[in-house]
């Protein structure tokens, strides 16, 4: 990731500059950096630059000590140069992605206060990412992310500016952890390897790690996680990390779906597109990474994160359609469709999270994060996650926080009548119900495992966790790391609002 700095002077050969459009007329937005724009505007118009979002235009040009100018689109010009934070984040991120292979760049983007400065810092941090772990001959310096960035700023050099840079650096680091894990193929990422990799990040953070292996899962009654993982030679795990600072203001539990590969089991998925199911552990990676970020930021908020890890495979040990399992809650489930496995592992994680909290006076919030349904993508598309829950004021609070982070969520209902579609003559509940409203049916299933006194949110990130084609803003192709920034912001908001 790029090392971030704030500076009042420029020093690199490359200078990133904002470009907006005022009703078709190009406007250069370079913040506190002043430059002679006349000639540049003529060149930009000549080469067809428009200043629209995600447009990055490189112009070899001598400007002070700079020899390469990189214009990044801000869209429609805003009066007084006040751009929405997400616009700044994305513009900084697109430019950063276009600077792979470069050692250093200066950023002259419009901002006049700290939150705007912070958004630019985040965009650079999030955009300076590449996944080259498994490249051999095709690995090259050209693919390395931008190594260092200076934001030219009048406001960034204060103590608050330094802490904004530190925060952006920590957030980006853990978003990149999630992206790495999501991008890693399943032959390099079993439940056990996931646990080992996450554990390796914990020293010095003051967190506690607990791991249940397949034997413990079986003997302690985690029938949901166990049954999903039992068909695989790579056995299931429950990873529980807790961060319990002194003078904690609130207590949250995060539960993540961690399917390191989802073949669909005996509801085998078609080969075309199955490769994408290496990303089916994005929820688990996000909840653990969020906890680690919160711990590194030393926020006084108690967090328990649970990663429900299994590989959904076929074999003579795999769960058959129609098998009945007993979850940790004691509820029995008829597994009519082994491809609806996420809700089974989450059911156990939710039960465990609530049980842990009961001894400590309950939870201020329980949030599960999962690449749960293809129906999420059909309903909300690839960039907006579904949000469901049992507590509208918690949902509202979360949505307000997400508004500031730029991560997109949309609240969906949990209609009561869908519960009837999960009825089965042979068990307490079936794992699939009505086909219509599949995202909601999954949420209704999960609700069965949540106590009414626990404010709960379910985040279905099937689409937004991964960019299949066409990188945008600060998101490269591959894992996005979505939910980390909003979960961290939730903890921050608990600190500032008590
Ligand atoms: N992991 C998938 C959901 C998914 C689909 C994530 C596409 C990302 C992209 C999940 O386990 C699944 O297979 N869900 C089924 C549920 C159905 C059987 C009720 C689905 O969505 O088809
Ligand atoms: Zn799945
Ligand atoms: Mn599945």
């Amino acid at each position: 990731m790029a090392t971030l700095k704030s500076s009042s002077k420029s020093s690199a050969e490359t200078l990133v500059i904002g470009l907006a459009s005022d009703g078709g007329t190009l406007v250069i937005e370079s913040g506190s950096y002043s430059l002679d724009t006349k000639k540049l505007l003529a060149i930009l118009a000549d080469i067809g630059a428009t200043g629209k979002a995600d447009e990055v235009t490189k112009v070899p040009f001598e400007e002070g000590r700079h020899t390469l100018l990189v214009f990044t689109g801000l869209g429609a010009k805003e009066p007084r140069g006040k751009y929405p934070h997400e616009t700044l984040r994305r513009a900084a991120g697109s430019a950063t992605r276009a600077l792979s292979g470069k050692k250093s760049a200066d950023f002259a983007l419009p901002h006049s206060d700290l939150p705007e400065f912070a958004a630019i810092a985040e965009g650079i941090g999030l955009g300076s990412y590449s996944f080259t772990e498994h490249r051999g001959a095709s690995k090259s310096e050209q693919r390395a992310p931008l190594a260092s960035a200076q934001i030219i700023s009048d406001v960034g050099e204060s103590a608050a500016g330094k802490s904004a840079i530190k925060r952006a650096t920590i957030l980006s680091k853990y978003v990149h952890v999630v992206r790495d894990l999501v991008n890693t193929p399943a032959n390099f990422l079993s439940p056990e390897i996931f646990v080992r990799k996450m554990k390796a990040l914990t020293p010095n953070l003051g967190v506690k790690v607990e791991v249940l292996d397949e034997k413990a899962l079986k003997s302690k009654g985690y029938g949901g996680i166990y049954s999903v993982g039992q068909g695989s030679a790579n056995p299931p795990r429950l990873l529980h990390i807790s961060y319990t600072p002194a003078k904690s203001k609130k207590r949250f539990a995060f539960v993540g779906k961690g399917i390191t590969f989802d073949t669909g089991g005996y509801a085998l998925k078609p080969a075309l597109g199955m490769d994408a199911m290496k990303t089916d552990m994005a929820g688990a990676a996000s909840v653990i990474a969020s906890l680690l970020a919160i711990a590194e930021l030393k926020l006084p908020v108690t967090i328990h994160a649970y990663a429900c890890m299994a590989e959904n495979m076929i074999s003579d040990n795999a769960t058959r359609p129609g098998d009945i399992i007993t979850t940790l809650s004691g509820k029995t489930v008829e597994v009519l469709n082994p491809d609806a496995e996420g809700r089974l592992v989450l059911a156990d994680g939710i039960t465990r999270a609530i049980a842990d909290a009961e001894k400590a006076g309950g939870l201020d919030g329980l949030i599960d994060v999962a690449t749960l349904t293809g129906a999420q993508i059909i309903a909300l598309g690839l960039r907006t996650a579904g949000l469901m829950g049992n507590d509208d004021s918690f949902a509202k609070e979360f949505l307000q926080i997400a508004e500031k982070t730029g991560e997109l969520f949309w609240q969906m209902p949990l209609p009561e009548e869908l519960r009837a579609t999960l009825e089965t003559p042979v068990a307490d509940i079936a794992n699939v119900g009505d086909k219509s409203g599949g995202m909601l049916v999954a949420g209704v299933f999960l609700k069965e495992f949540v106590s009414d006194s626990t404010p709960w949110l379910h985040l279905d990130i099937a689409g937004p966790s991964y960019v299949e084609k066409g990188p945008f803003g600060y998101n490269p192709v591959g894992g996005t790391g979505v939910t980390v920034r909003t979960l961290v912001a939730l903890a921050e908001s608990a600190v500032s609002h008590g």
Side-chain angles (χ1 to χ4, degrees):
M1 199 203 104
T3 315
L4 284 165
K5 277 206 306 269
S6 167
S7 170
S8 53
K9 294 191 292 289
S10 57
S11 60
E13 283 173 8
T14 302
L15 178 66
V16 175
I17 301 170
L19 186 65
S21 156
D22 190 2
T25 309
L26 293 177
V27 184
I28 286 179
E29 293 274 29
S30 56
S32 62
Y33 182 92
S34 58
L35 74 171
D36 187 2
T37 60
K38 201 166 157 235
K39 205 161 153 195
L40 277 169
L41 285 170
I43 295 173
L44 286 164
D46 263 359
I47 59 180
T50 67
K52 67 174 191 279
D54 262 311
E55 177 189 88
V56 175
T57 312
K58 295 181 180 173
V59 183
F61 192 86
E62 282 196 29
E63 156 59 37
R65 62 190 310 155
H66 307 288
T67 52
L68 177 67
L69 304 186
V70 179
F71 291 90
T72 186
L74 292 163
K77 181 184 164 42
E78 292 286 346
R80 294 173 297 116
K82 296 292 271 182
Y83 289 85
H85 296 166
E86 181 66 358
T87 300
L88 295 172
R89 230 179 254 121
R90 291 193 187 186
S94 304
T96 304
R97 281 193 295 100
L99 294 174
S100 296
K102 292 237 175 284
K103 290 280 166 277
S104 174
D106 292 327
F107 284 73
L109 293 173
H111 65 285
S112 48
D113 59 26
L114 262 169
E116 290 167 1
F117 172 81
I120 294 167
E122 284 173 31
I124 298 170
L126 295 167
S128 55
Y129 174 83
S130 68
F131 183 68
T132 54
E133 175 94 20
H134 298 281
R135 285 188 185 274
S138 63
K139 198 177 215 144
S140 79
E141 294 226 334
Q142 287 313 105
R143 295 186 196 272
L146 173 67
S148 116
Q150 296 76 236
I151 304 170
I152 300 174
S153 178
D154 292 337
V155 301
E157 278 182 280
S158 58
K162 297 224 160 66
S163 85
I165 288 221
K166 189 171 167 210
R167 177 179 179 276
T169 303
I170 291 173
L171 283 178
S172 303
K173 169 175 154 188
Y174 288 102
V175 166
H176 294 184
V177 164
V178 177
R179 290 178 183 173
D180 280 349
L181 291 166
V182 168
N183 293 337
T184 299
N187 60 329
F188 287 93
L189 194 74
S190 61
E192 187 191 4
I193 299 173
F194 178 97
V195 168
R196 196 191 314 144
K197 283 178 183 263
M198 285 305 199
K199 232 174 139 173
L201 299 174
T202 58
N204 313 320
L205 290 179
V207 300
K208 235 172 76 188
V209 179
E210 177 199 16
V211 183
L212 300 190
D213 66 8
E214 73 275 23
K215 281 196 204 107
L217 289 168
K218 188 170 195 182
S219 69
K220 291 178 196 289
Y222 291 79
I225 300 175
Y226 189 84
S227 69
V228 173
Q230 72 186 35
S232 172
N234 301 309
R237 294 284 182 272
L238 175 67
L239 169 65
H240 168 210
I241 303 189
S242 48
Y243 168 60
T244 56
K247 302 207 186 102
S248 162
K249 304 260 192 185
K250 282 195 176 172
R251 178 180 175 124
F252 293 108
F254 303 154
V255 178
K257 169 178 174 180
I259 304 302
T260 52
F261 197 80
D262 181 11
T263 64
Y266 277 104
L268 194 62
K269 288 182 183 292
L272 189 70
M274 196 200 279
D275 56 293
M277 286 300 114
K278 70 172 185 181
T279 71
D280 211 17
M281 32 51 66
S286 296
V287 300
I288 299 290
S290 300
L291 177 145
L292 298 177
I294 289 164
E296 190 161 335
L297 288 164
K298 298 195 166 60
L299 300 174
V301 179
T302 298
I303 310 284
H304 286 258
Y306 303 83
C308 308
M309 309 304 303
E311 188 178 45
N312 191 19
M313 300 289 275
I314 48 175
S315 75
D316 52 3
N317 287 324
T319 298
R320 293 153 287 245
D323 282 1
I324 297 175
I325 62 162
T326 304
T327 57
L328 185 63
S329 67
K331 284 195 167 75
T332 58
V333 180
E334 184 185 19
V335 184
L336 285 174
N337 188 329
D339 197 14
E341 82 297 341
R343 60 199 75 182
L344 301 177
V345 302
L346 289 171
D348 282 354
I350 288 170
T351 301
R352 172 64 199 275
I354 291 174
D356 283 350
E358 251 161 28
K359 305 161 207 155
L363 286 165
D364 293 297
L366 166 67
I367 302 182
D368 76 74
V369 185
T371 48
L372 206 59
T373 65
Q376 179 278 318
I377 299 173
I378 292 168
L380 293 171
L382 291 167
R383 295 191 187 180
T384 304
L387 174 149
M388 289 141 274
N390 64 355
D391 183 325
D392 275 344
S393 72
F394 187 32
K396 218 179 193 168
E397 181 195 346
F398 188 90
L399 289 170
Q400 270 165 10
I401 291 166
E403 193 101 1
K404 296 192 201 126
T405 67
E407 294 185 330
L408 302 173
F409 298 89
W410 196 258
Q411 188 172 1
M412 302 296 283
L414 292 177
E416 243 167 70
E417 74 274 10
L418 292 181
R419 175 60 183 84
T421 74
L422 291 162
E423 283 298 325
T424 152
V426 293
D428 296 334
I429 192 168
N431 78 328
V432 290
D434 238 2
K435 257 216 167 94
S436 356
M439 166 170 49
L440 321 182
V441 174
V444 166
F445 178 92
L446 293 176
K447 189 168 184 278
E448 286 292 304
F449 298 85
V450 180
S451 58
D452 289 338
S453 60
T454 306
W456 160 70
L457 294 178
H458 160 53
L459 308 178
D460 193 336
I461 59 166
S465 60
Y466 191 76
V467 176
E468 189 122 8
K469 46 180 183 274
F472 63 96
Y474 44 77
N475 286 120
V477 165
T480 60
V482 75
T483 78
V484 170
R485 289 183 299 119
T486 305
L487 291 177
V488 173
L490 174 72
E492 288 172 330
S493 143
V495 177
S496 50
H497 300 113

